[in-house]
Amino acid sequence: MAAQDDNDELVIRVRGLANHFGEQVVHENLDLDVRRGEILGVVGGSGSGKSVLMRSILGLRTPDAGTIEVLGTDARSEDPEKRLHIERNSGVLFQDGALFSSLTVGENVQVPLKEHHDELPDSLRYELALLKVKLAGLPADAIDKLPSQLSGGMRKRAGLARALALDPPLLFLDEPTAGLDPIGAAAFDRLIATLQEALGLTVFLITHDLDTLYAICDRVAVLADHKVIAVGPVSELEKLDHPWVQEYFNGPRGRAARDSRSELRAGA
Amino acid sequence: MSASTAPSLRFDDAPGRLSLAGRWTLEHALAIADLLRDAPGGVREVDARAVERLDSVGVLQLLRYSRRCDLDFDGFAFRPEHHALVAAIEDVADERPKKKREYGVAAALGRLGYAVYDNAREIVALISFLGENLVKLVRMVKEPRRFRLTATVSHMEQVGLDAVPLVALLSYLVGAVIAFLGANILEDFGATIYVVELVNIAFLREFGVLLTAIVLAGRTASAFTAQIGSMVAREEVDAIRTLGMDPVDLLVMPRLLAMLAMLPLLTFIADLAGLLGGLTVGALALDIPVPAYFARMEQTMELRHFLVGLSKAPVFAMVIALIGCLEGLQTEGTAQSVGERTTSSVVQTISLVIVLDAIAAIWFMQMGW
């Protein structure tokens, strides 16, 4: 079972997903695959249901129809064992970090370790937390700070450290660069790429940030008209004949991001 | 299957090579620590190419091991797919200073000092908040456009109307209990009929307003603190300020006015319910017929008792509304802070209400009212 698990190409498999809020249709017959070891960017206009999709995959929202498989496990299952399998193997970075405000950064990172690995000695747990804090690019002294003492960018890094606490193979990021300055955003993109490579992560990344798409995403899924209208590398999607996609990639910001990307390549 | 997944190591004497296999991951952190602690001496090279899964815990522990045994970590052999991970992990150590806790007299005195200082600051803050609110109340009279009718009425409903059943029930029961207790003693003197005065005076002067204030302190002061506190935590109060509005006008005034209007009314209801409680016990348990009870009430009831009780209502209303709102505004950004402030506002309002009531009782007695 485990061996088959390892070879399975698809980490997330969504079929026929439907989500409604009363009369309002968010998703209808949505299919999506996330392959092992890739960074999949998910884009779409505001209200196109990116966050709802992520919440459905994480089991935070019960979809109205469809099947979702995460790491070979039915994500809609109510079975606590199966839920635990998914929860232990996925890390989530919410939009503003969603750190526990009354705990320090270090305690935040240790929360999943305490919950799932009670047997670890206190000092090892602390060291693992410190390691994750450093991996997320925070200075070591940040570990004793409260989330309210951190800047927005540092809170995101702390949230990332907590998401990585259990060394999960699967990472969900909800708009990781939103609210960061361009330099901070670029640094965060690089951090995600580095960690993805070092830890062999599969990353499900919701973003509005065109720079992120061009810089680190292997494939991009476009959400529009209640479903995923296209999946592929950015360079292919630019040519797609769909009004929203055209406006998104070929608007002034899209062109700027593409140009800076090609400059970067030429420079390197 | 478990045999292949558990971490293991094998030592070859001849080249002094330690070969690792299995999963060197978080699930097996303790087993890894045991293995490496008990690893044989004389190791010169480490081969981790048979390790099927490796995560940051495994790498960290191997790194430690290499430091401890003075081995060259760069010389460890890993699978190609693990190279990036190995390069990313750096050594960390638990260098927290040992926590020292003082138990001596000096520490106790220190804590006492902090507590006194904190309390003094709270009192100053409350008095200055009272001043600010009085000034803004006067300003509102001069500039009636600042008055928020809808918000005030909505709070009046929550503070007053919604509390009527609870206040009435509690007062009714307390009135009944007072009648019972009093009758027990008065019976010995053959003076059971004095129960009527006992319940009347106790309720009109003290218990009606006190019970109401305590119920509202628990029910409303906490709600005020939690509402305003979570608005502070989500920067809504800052938003109100930057939009050129005054948080006191917008949040505190409607609550204060609603409280000032409703607490006297609720007190009146509590008085009635308490008297009814006494009447019920008198009629059912003490054999005082209802007409006789009413006749006695008419003979002995004095308006001044009712006025003394009612005069305290606006003061208590101020205390509850101001402390509730002030604690809310003093909240810091965390969820825990909202909880602490809510507790603190209930404790403070109830204590202050009882203290003020005691002072008022002495004063009214001395004045002969």
Side-chain angles (χ1 to χ4, degrees), chain A residues 245-268:
Chain A
V245 175
Q246 279 306 316
E247 183 147 10
Y248 185 74
F249 285 105
N250 293 325
R253 281 159 170 264
R255 281 200 301 275
R258 190 166 60 231
D259 292 348
S260 74
R261 174 71 177 152
S262 46
E263 268 168 41
L264 229 127
R265 276 197 197 126

Side-chain angles (χ1 to χ4, degrees), chain B residues 153-174:
Chain B
V153 172
S154 147
H155 283 298
M156 282 166 80
E157 184 187 348
Q158 287 168 28
V159 169
L161 205 57
D162 295 353
V164 167
L166 184 63
V167 167
L169 176 70
L170 294 186
S171 305
Y172 179 82
L173 294 177
V174 172

Side-chain angles (χ1 to χ4, degrees), chain A residues 2 6 101-102 113 117 119-124 126-128 130-132 134-135 166-167 197-199, chain B residues 23 26-27 29-30 53 55-57 60-61 64 84-85 88-94 96 334-336:
Chain A
D6 284 349
S101 55
S102 51
L113 289 170
H117 293 281
E119 77 283 358
L120 296 183
D122 180 56
S123 69
L124 179 63
Y126 178 84
E127 286 160 7
L128 285 175
L130 186 57
L131 182 69
K132 296 291 150 61
K134 285 184 163 180
L135 274 180
L166 295 175
D167 276 87
E197 198 193 329
L199 307 177
Chain B
R23 293 186 178 180
L26 184 58
E27 281 74 37
L30 284 186
R53 273 196 201 177
D55 69 6
S56 53
V57 181
L60 179 66
Q61 305 229 38
R64 286 285 173 65
L85 173 67
I89 304 297
E90 53 180 315
D91 196 15
V92 288
D94 183 0
R96 286 174 293 178
T334 68
Q336 190 177 3

Side-chain angles (χ1 to χ4, degrees), chain A residues 67-70 72-78 82-83 86:
Chain A
T67 58
I68 302 172
E69 265 177 42
V70 179
T73 307
D74 177 12
R76 295 188 62 179
S77 162
E78 302 279 329
K82 291 184 178 169
R83 290 242 53 85
I86 296 177

Side-chain angles (χ1 to χ4, degrees), chain B residues 74-91:
Chain B
D74 297 333
F76 284 25
F78 289 100
R79 280 190 196 182
E81 65 259 36
H82 292 152
H83 280 165
L85 173 67
V86 172
I89 304 297
E90 53 180 315
D91 196 15

